[in-house]
Amino acid sequence: DGLQDRVRIDSDGIKFGSDTAAANALDDYEEGSWTPAIGGVSSNPTISYSQQTGKYIKIGRMVKLFGRIRPSSVSGGSGGVQITGLPFTAHDDSDETGGSVGLALGFSAVPTTLQVDGGNQVIYILSSPNNTLVTDFDFSYLYFQIDYLT
């Protein structure tokens, strides 16, 4: 009759076409909120926030994060700025991550790239040309997005 399965749902999850491998099954979809925070690689700053919002979409092992951070007062912090509080731990292979800065205000070294620390729940904020850690804790606004694997 020429009919073929396009989608199959079984105990492993959703499988497409003729694929029967459990490892390829789509077994998770989730949307939610998370609260991004700023931390320091060597020591954490003390921060009050006027805006601190985040959303995520998780499909299988892939996580897509969006976040906005606006500090109202900052004291201390050292080593490099990082975003903490990710909703899921990143896979150990940090090469499978990447993100971008949509808008950054008040930084002396302009943030250009984001990278999740593999095996952790931390995003490093980097600047070009050498992908060095940004060290400006007293910035005024950061909007970002990043994709990573769990």
Side-chain angles (χ1 to χ4, degrees):
D1 64 20
L3 295 178
Q4 295 179 346
D5 288 342
R6 293 217 179 230
V7 176
R8 184 175 322 133
I9 302 173
D10 62 20
S11 61
D12 297 322
I14 300 171
K15 297 175 184 169
F16 298 93
S18 61
D19 193 346
T20 60
N24 295 338
L26 176 58
D27 60 355
D28 187 21
Y29 179 89
E30 183 179 336
E31 294 184 28
S33 299
W34 67 290
T35 305
I38 294 298
V41 172
S42 299
S43 68
N44 288 324
T46 301
I47 299 181
S48 296
Y49 298 93
S50 60
Q51 186 175 32
Q52 193 180 13
T53 60
K55 300 281 185 192
Y56 70 85
I57 301 169
K58 183 175 186 288
I59 303 171
R61 292 183 51 219
M62 175 61 71
V63 179
K64 183 170 201 67
L65 295 181
F66 304 90
R68 288 186 177 100
I69 300 173
R70 179 176 285 180
S72 56
S73 68
V74 179
S75 174
S78 66
V81 180
Q82 57 188 12
I83 301 167
T84 63
L86 279 64
F88 305 97
T89 300
H91 186 268
D92 285 338
D93 186 353
S94 61
D95 291 338
E96 298 172 345
T97 69
S100 61
V101 176
L103 179 62
L105 301 173
F107 291 90
S108 61
V110 178
T112 56
T113 307
L114 303 174
Q115 183 175 4
V116 172
D117 183 17
N120 291 298
Q121 292 175 290
V122 172
I123 300 170
Y124 295 119
I125 303 174
L126 307 171
S127 65
S128 291
N130 300 321
N131 283 335
T132 56
L133 284 169
V134 169
T135 58
D136 300 326
F137 288 91
D138 195 12
F139 62 90
S140 55
Y141 186 79
L142 179 65
Y143 172 76
F144 61 93
Q145 68 178 32
I146 189 165
D147 301 327
Y148 68 97
L149 294 178
T150 60

